Amino acid sequence: MTQSPKPARPGARKSASQASPSRPAKVLKASKAAKPSNSVKTSKPKQKAKPTSGKTPRQPKGLHERNLHAKGYDFNALMKATPALRPYVRPNPYGNLSIDFADPKAVKLLNLALLRLHYGLSNWDIPEGFLCPPIPGRVDYLHYLADLLAESVPARKGAKPNEAKMANVANATKVPKGERVVALDIGTGANGIYPLLGHQVYGWRFVASDIDPVSLANVEQIIANNPPLAGKLSLRQQSDPKQIFTGIITAEDRFDLTLCNPPFHASLAEASRGSERKLKNLAANKQAKGHEVARSKEKPNFGGQKAELWCEGGELAFLSQMIRESREFGSQCLWFTSLVSKKENLKPCYRLLEQVGAKRVETLEMAQGNKLTRVLAWTFLTQEQHRLWSQYRV
């Protein structure tokens, strides 16, 4: 059983072979060539089938090919779209226009300018102290999920191998768009960035959930201030902080995607240390580039509230709860997905996904400069069920 030597298109995942239903191919490190799975044992009787798994090959440094920010920011155009940004823009030591990314006001105005210039949203704001997301990285997640939807559609039943291969290539270039695609954003925060971008880029409808009423009230205000969003996004509050999908997904719901940027710290102290570490890194980077570093009394732009940054048990505990709950809604969601900040959390998630009966698991790698972000995706539906889902969606 060997892995395909090349993905279907640049940036696509490298899926494992599906030749053996009882033991899937292991997720391979992208830096190593695929090897035959000679060590796989198939003689054990009544062994529970493991999910088919795959992993994207490591990509060149940079954002997704459809990401509008892959070549950087056009600050002249951004300042024209949002004149209030102008006082915060200045040349860096290399002569390029930039801002101080440790300045929360500058970063928030940059986000507003990006949303106005590229995504057709005229009004966006967040309360002080809430998480201010980097738009290029957030929209990258959506682009990779769009590819996942496009490539998850198998060839028609009974298709010949060549027909199946051609269908996969065609699907990779046909990203589902429009309001018949419905996504669920878990923990949307006060910024609501995933539903905003997902609708403006792909036309998808969204349900956005959060446990914090202040966050949901702010997203509601953002929707009210942007007419294109009217009727496209709905908000639901999670009343039980120990639940994720339970209490949010109703019996009538059907979601093509669930997505989440989970809290990755286990305590407030750990989250505070992480923020301080980021501040020090930003200061060191500024010094290396010849900028003067002054101490700021303001909260960093990556601040965030409790629900946005930490939970008991940290990222792994949150992901584990999400995976366990997802089993109960496996027939109502085509793909469950989540960002995974810590690489060491992947293996425990793989084991748990096998235990709950996931049919297929994918690990998507998103390269953003020197930072590597992972998306864990899983489904409880068979290939035939995926085909039918796609058929009746469109």
Side-chain angles (χ1 to χ4, degrees):
M1 180 169 59
T2 58
Q3 195 171 24
S4 174
K6 293 184 180 180
R9 58 161 189 79
R13 287 169 327 286
K14 185 178 289 185
S15 296
S17 169
Q18 299 179 18
S20 171
S22 61
R23 298 282 292 186
K26 294 182 180 179
V27 176
L28 300 179
K29 293 184 179 179
S31 59
K32 296 181 178 180
K35 296 181 179 179
S37 307
N38 295 329
S39 60
V40 175
K41 298 179 180 179
T42 57
S43 58
K44 291 184 179 180
K46 298 181 181 181
Q47 188 175 18
K48 188 176 180 181
K50 290 186 179 181
T52 300
S53 59
K55 181 179 179 180
T56 32
R58 189 175 297 275
Q59 301 300 314
K61 294 179 181 179
L63 299 169
H64 190 281
E65 60 189 1
R66 291 195 300 276
N67 198 312
L68 299 176
H69 316 295
K71 295 183 179 180
Y73 301 130
D74 183 346
F75 276 100
N76 288 318
L78 291 168
M79 288 187 289
K80 186 176 181 180
T82 305
L85 177 64
R86 187 175 298 276
Y88 298 91
V89 177
R90 65 178 187 271
N92 61 22
Y94 305 105
N96 302 316
L97 294 179
S98 187
I99 64 167
D100 179 358
F101 285 92
D103 184 341
K105 291 182 180 178
V107 173
K108 191 161 72 169
L109 282 168
L110 174 61
N111 273 11
L112 175 60
L114 290 169
L115 291 170
R116 284 178 174 174
L117 179 63
H118 298 294
Y119 301 103
L121 298 176
S122 56
N123 294 284
W124 179 87
D125 197 7
I126 54 173
E128 183 180 354
F130 281 75
L131 191 66
C132 189
I135 287 177
R138 297 300 193 260
V139 78
D140 233 39
Y141 185 6
L142 292 165
H143 288 314
Y144 278 94
L145 293 188
D147 291 344
L148 185 67
L149 280 183
E151 296 169 12
S152 71
V153 182
R156 65 177 177 82
K157 189 175 182 180
K160 295 178 181 178
N162 286 342
E163 290 177 347
K165 183 177 181 181
M166 292 303 296
N168 287 336
V169 173
N171 290 335
T173 61
K174 188 179 178 182
V175 172
K177 296 181 180 181
E179 296 182 10
R180 297 193 70 172
V181 175
V182 186
L184 170 62
D185 181 24
I186 295 295
T188 197
N191 56 73
I193 201 65
Y194 288 124
L196 300 180
L197 294 173
H199 180 266
Q200 294 304 101
V201 175
Y202 291 110
W204 300 341
R205 286 189 295 120
F206 273 82
V207 171
S209 71
D210 207 284
I211 65 172
D212 180 29
V214 176
S215 294
L216 292 176
N218 194 71
V219 177
E220 187 174 25
Q221 188 62 47
I222 293 172
I223 295 170
N225 291 339
N226 291 278
L229 300 176
K232 312 302 181 185
L233 280 62
S234 62
L235 307 178
R236 298 179 188 176
Q237 184 175 351
Q238 174 59 269
S239 58
D240 186 347
K242 295 183 179 180
Q243 304 290 348
I244 297 174
F245 296 122
T246 305
I248 295 297
I249 299 179
T250 68
E252 295 76 26
D253 285 327
R254 296 295 182 274
F255 292 109
D256 296 87
L257 294 165
T258 74
L259 58 156
C260 181
N261 183 16
F264 44 86
H265 296 299
S267 67
L268 176 59
E270 184 180 319
S272 298
R273 288 194 298 270
S275 293
E276 286 298 320
R277 188 162 53 250
K278 288 183 179 180
L279 281 174
K280 289 179 181 179
N281 290 339
L282 281 170
N285 188 47
K286 288 172 66 177
Q287 283 182 326
K289 292 181 178 180
H291 287 305
E292 182 180 349
V293 179
R295 283 192 170 274
S296 173
K297 295 182 180 180
E298 296 189 76
K299 292 182 179 180
N301 61 284
F302 38 79
Q305 301 296 295
K306 174 187 181 298
E308 295 176 311
L309 291 180
W310 67 276
C311 67
E312 291 185 12
E315 182 181 67
L316 181 57
F318 190 95
L319 290 170
S320 298
Q321 179 65 20
M322 176 181 285
I323 291 170
R324 283 190 291 267
E325 285 189 39
S326 69
R327 175 173 52 185
E328 303 302 318
F329 303 97
S331 64
Q332 294 180 251
C333 301
L334 185 64
W335 282 105
F336 296 91
T337 79
S338 178
L339 292 175
V340 180
S341 175
K342 299 177 180 178
K343 183 179 180 180
E344 60 268 26
N345 289 339
L346 286 173
K347 286 187 178 181
C349 288
Y350 295 153
R351 289 194 294 267
L352 186 55
L353 284 165
E354 180 185 348
Q355 292 171 16
V356 300
K359 299 293 185 183
R360 179 180 168 193
V361 175
E362 295 286 350
T363 303
L364 318 179
E365 289 186 350
M366 305 187 301
Q368 300 167 26
N370 293 322
K371 181 180 179 182
L372 188 65
T373 305
R374 301 158 196 87
V375 177
L376 181 64
W378 65 97
T379 181
F380 294 93
L381 304 182
T382 64
Q383 285 194 350
E384 175 62 12
Q385 288 171 321
H386 272 245
R387 187 186 68 81
L388 291 172
W389 186 296
S390 176
Q391 177 182 341
Y392 289 104
R393 182 213 300 134
V394 297

